[in-house]
Structure formats: C-alpha cells, structure tokens
Amino acid sequence: MERSHFEQQFIALQPQLRSYLYRITCNRELADDLAQDTYLKAVRALNSFQEKSSLKTWVFQIATNLAKDQFAVQRRFTDSAQDKAKLKALTDAQTSHRITEAFQSQPDQHFDVREHISFCFTCLSKTLYLEEQIAVVLADMYDFKRTEIGTVLGRTEGVVKHLLFNGRKRLQDKFHQRCALVNKQGACYQCAELSDYYNS
C-alpha cells in the first residue's frame, strides 16, 4: 500500500480510533498520544501490511497492543466507581466546582444524555477484565465482527466468543439492578439527575 493512500485512510479512521482509545484509557491525553504512536508504528510497518485484514482492523490491532502496555489501561475500576465519584462530587466543594466549570466551558452548555450514556458504558466496561472490555467495546460500540476482534486481540474466534459472553454476563450480573443501560428498563436515574441539574 502506498503511504499517501494509507494516510488518507488513517485520517478517516482517526475519530473512531481516538474515541476507542479514550474508552479503554479513560484519559484523553493518553488516548491522543497513543493515536499518534499508532500512526508512527503503522507507517514504519506499512511494508509488512499484507491486507489479510482491513486496514481499520490492522490499525486497531496496533493501537490495542500499544494501549495494553499502559498502566491506565491495565488498571480496572471497582464496581462502585461511579457511586464514589457521585459522592465526592456531592461532598467535596473543589470537585463539584471543577465539574461545573468543565460544563460551563462548553460552548452550548447543554447536558447531552446520549454522551452521558456513552460515558457510562465506558465506566461500566472498565470494571471487566481487560480483554473482555476490549472485545465488548469493539463489538458493541464499533460493530467489529468476532473475526476482526480476534485479529485485534490475537485470539481465535472461539476465544472472542467466550470473551464477549463472559463480559456481557459480568456486566449483567454486576449492574442489572443498578443501571438502565444494562437492564434496558426505564430511564437511568443518573442521566435524569444530571440532566435536571445542568439543564435547569
């Protein structure tokens, strides 16, 4: 593949790639750094790309391998991470001020429920084992097929099937009683609370 053609395709992939890296790192600066490192590594390895998979799958494989070495990615969240964050926001004036300030710095100053749901899923999936998280995020948020996820993770399709089953079941077991995003019933009380608070 010619470098100019690769660069055109990589530019088109960047929004999804950065979004994916943010979901597994929960750190925007690190996600941006990893996206840049992915580009550099892909350019250096371009001659070895044999097009056995799509360029997108190959790029995500490089990004995932780079990300898996990072402590921020290896670190898992506790099941109660969101509850602890809410408590800190309610009881710590500095934290509350920083959240309000971040919201007010947005041009439209509007709480977007869809964005919050997306962020919630990121937090929930961060409680899974790392490969389960990657498999579930790639399948459920980026529409990767099991074979593509297998290429990204260097696993067989059968292993990916188990990662998806176990990851989704773990989310159900942990959050079914607590999260409308998981049990698909009613409205998320966190979304409703935040929407009322910010959009009032």
Side-chain angles (χ1 to χ4, degrees):
M1 176 182 287
E2 291 182 8
R3 181 163 170 171
S4 59
H5 183 55
F6 162 76
E7 287 181 350
Q8 284 178 349
Q9 291 197 47
F10 189 87
I11 288 168
L13 284 174
Q14 270 209 66
Q16 271 201 335
L17 180 66
R18 287 176 189 272
S19 165
Y20 164 69
L21 287 168
Y22 174 66
R23 292 190 195 293
I24 61 173
T25 61
C26 290
N27 182 312
R28 248 178 236 294
E29 286 182 14
L30 178 55
D32 288 344
D33 288 345
L34 285 168
Q36 180 66 23
D37 291 345
T38 299
Y39 169 77
L40 294 173
K41 188 161 186 179
V43 165
R44 286 194 296 267
L46 198 53
N47 289 336
S48 67
F49 177 51
Q50 298 173 353
E51 301 188 39
K52 291 179 180 175
S53 66
S54 69
L55 182 73
K56 179 179 177 179
T57 300
W58 183 66
V59 165
F60 271 67
Q61 179 185 30
I62 292 170
T64 301
N65 286 335
L66 288 170
K68 284 167 77 174
D69 293 334
Q70 300 291 323
F71 175 73
V73 175
Q74 294 171 8
R75 186 168 159 260
R76 303 287 85 199
F77 286 4
T78 64
D79 296 356
S80 59
Q82 287 183 316
D83 295 329
K84 288 178 181 175
K86 178 183 175 182
L87 181 62
K88 186 162 185 183
L90 290 173
T91 58
D92 182 75
Q94 188 177 3
T95 300
S96 179
H97 176 70
R98 284 176 63 198
I99 292 169
T100 303
E101 206 172 44
F103 176 76
Q104 289 174 344
S105 70
Q106 295 179 42
D108 59 359
Q109 292 189 15
H110 180 76
F111 176 75
D112 188 334
V113 172
R114 286 173 301 178
E115 187 177 325
H116 178 69
I117 288 171
S118 180
F119 182 74
C120 268
F121 187 77
T122 296
C123 287
L124 298 185
S125 71
K126 193 91 164 115
T127 66
L128 302 175
Y129 296 122
L130 179 54
E131 287 200 336
E132 288 177 355
Q133 179 199 14
I134 291 168
V136 169
V137 167
L138 286 175
D140 294 350
M141 301 198 80
Y142 298 95
D143 297 320
F144 273 64
K145 298 184 176 93
R146 288 200 295 255
T147 52
E148 294 170 325
I149 297 168
T151 299
V152 169
L153 288 172
R155 300 289 187 185
T156 65
E157 190 175 347
V159 170
V160 171
K161 189 175 178 180
H162 284 290
L163 288 171
L164 289 170
F165 175 82
N166 291 339
R168 289 166 177 158
K169 184 176 187 312
R170 216 180 298 280
L171 286 175
Q172 284 285 341
D173 292 345
K174 288 179 178 186
F175 300 110
H176 181 79
Q177 299 301 324
R178 302 170 58 200
C179 180
L181 186 61
V182 172
N183 63 36
K184 298 181 175 68
Q185 295 173 8
C188 170
Y189 75 90
Q190 289 181 324
C191 284
E193 283 179 350
L194 287 167
S195 183
D196 288 347
Y197 179 78
Y198 285 122
N199 292 337
S200 61

